[in-house]
Amino acid sequence: MRKITLTLSVCVFMLLAFNSCATLFGKKSHALAIGSEPRGAEVYVNGFKMGTTPVELNLKADKSYTIEFRKEGYQSVSRVVNTKVGAGWIVLDVLGGIIPVIVDAATGNWNKLDQDAVNAVLEEQN
C-alpha cells in the first residue's frame, strides 16, 4: 500500500511540475517573413547567409536576431528582431500555480519574436 501511495504521489508531483502551458503547447520556432525592395537581396541572420528575399525563415522564438540585407550596388540595411513574453502564457501559468511559472520562465518557452515580418528598402550606392 505504501508503494502505491508513493508512486501516486510522484505521478501527481510530475504532472504538476510539468504542467506549464507554454512548455507543453507553445511553438519552439517562429515563422518570420523577410522581404526587400528591390527583391533578391541576400539575407544574413546573425552573420549567416540564410537565403535571398523574399524568404520565410523559422527561427527559435527565445533568441534575438540581427537581420542584414545585402545586394550588389546597394547599401546594406540591418534590422533587429527581439523576443517578447507572450502575456497569455503567463496568465495560464499563474492560474496553474507557481511551478508552471517557474518551468516556463526557466526554459524560455513563453517567449516569441516581436514581429512576424521584416522588410527593408535598399538605397542605391552613389
Side-chain angles (χ1 to χ4, degrees):
M1 184 67 167
R2 180 177 164 98
K3 188 175 182 179
I4 293 172
T5 304
L6 179 62
T7 303
L8 186 58
S9 297
V10 169
C11 288
V12 168
F13 174 78
M14 295 296 283
L15 180 63
L16 291 173
F18 297 104
N19 184 27
S20 46
C21 293
T23 299
L24 294 175
F25 305 111
K27 296 179 185 177
K28 304 298 183 235
S29 64
H30 186 95
L32 185 67
I34 301 177
S36 70
E37 184 58 43
R39 295 168 60 112
E42 295 177 331
V43 176
Y44 290 82
V45 178
N46 292 346
F48 296 97
K49 185 176 178 181
M50 301 296 283
T52 56
T53 61
V55 65
E56 184 171 297
L57 302 175
N58 285 314
L59 302 175
K60 290 185 179 182
D62 63 345
K63 294 184 177 182
S64 294
Y65 299 94
T66 300
I67 313 292
E68 186 176 4
F69 300 85
R70 299 179 191 168
K71 186 171 174 102
E72 186 72 33
Y74 293 85
Q75 295 179 2
S76 297
V77 174
S78 293
R79 300 283 187 262
V80 176
V81 177
N82 290 305
T83 62
K84 67 179 182 179
V85 176
W89 294 125
I90 295 173
V91 171
L92 291 173
D93 282 351
V94 168
L95 292 174
I98 190 69
I99 293 176
V101 173
I102 294 169
V103 170
D104 281 347
T107 60
N109 287 332
W110 58 18
N111 291 337
K112 62 182 184 175
L113 298 180
D114 65 353
Q115 47 194 311
D116 295 321
V118 177
N119 294 296
V121 176
L122 304 176
E123 295 183 22
E124 287 189 67
Q125 291 179 336
N126 295 327

